[in-house]
Amino acid sequence: QVQLVESGGGLVQPGGSLNLSCVASGRVFSIYTMGWYRQAPGGQRELVARIKLTGSPEIADPVKGRFTISKDSDKSTSTVYLQMNSLKPEDTAVYYCNVVSYGAQIDWGQGTQVTVSS
């Protein structure tokens, strides 16, 4: 199993930026993809961006050109970042880190609130 710790959410004005990070520990050697999902009030959880640890990133259309995803790894941890620029009120949601490991193991972070409001 993989343990996930998220950070970086908060309140920002429209047009502003935030950077989310998610540190994975535990069985990091078995990780296949790391990514971010979000869930707005009353909405379904949706993919924002994900990245294979050995491949290219995938960015959802609503955030393409504004958000970027990147990763970093060492011997004991893997970290995925979500740089969010030009934020809009419709980006307001709880953002969840997601890890998929070989063997179809899926782990979720606790969620971090992102609020875009003036």
Side-chain angles (χ1 to χ4, degrees), residues 79-92:
T79 302
V80 62
Y81 304 95
L82 184 69
Q83 178 64 43
M84 305 185 292
N85 298 325
S86 302
L87 282 160
K88 304 175 181 180
E90 51 263 44
D91 295 318
T92 295

Side-chain angles (χ1 to χ4, degrees), residues 4-71:
L4 303 174
V5 178
E6 303 163 348
S7 61
L11 172 64
V12 64
Q13 292 186 341
S17 299
L18 283 175
N19 188 36
L20 305 184
S21 63
C22 173
V23 180
S25 59
R27 296 175 60 89
V28 296
F29 58 87
S30 64
I31 292 175
Y32 180 64
T33 68
M34 298 184 75
W36 293 91
Y37 285 70
R38 68 185 181 185
Q39 187 166 16
Q44 292 189 331
R45 194 171 294 191
E46 61 178 9
L47 174 69
V48 177
R50 61 188 171 193
I51 186 167
K52 295 179 181 179
L53 290 201
T54 58
S56 57
E58 175 184 352
I59 309 293
D61 286 342
V63 303
K64 198 167 291 184
R66 300 186 296 121
F67 291 12
T68 58
I69 188 169
S70 61
K71 59 176 177 62

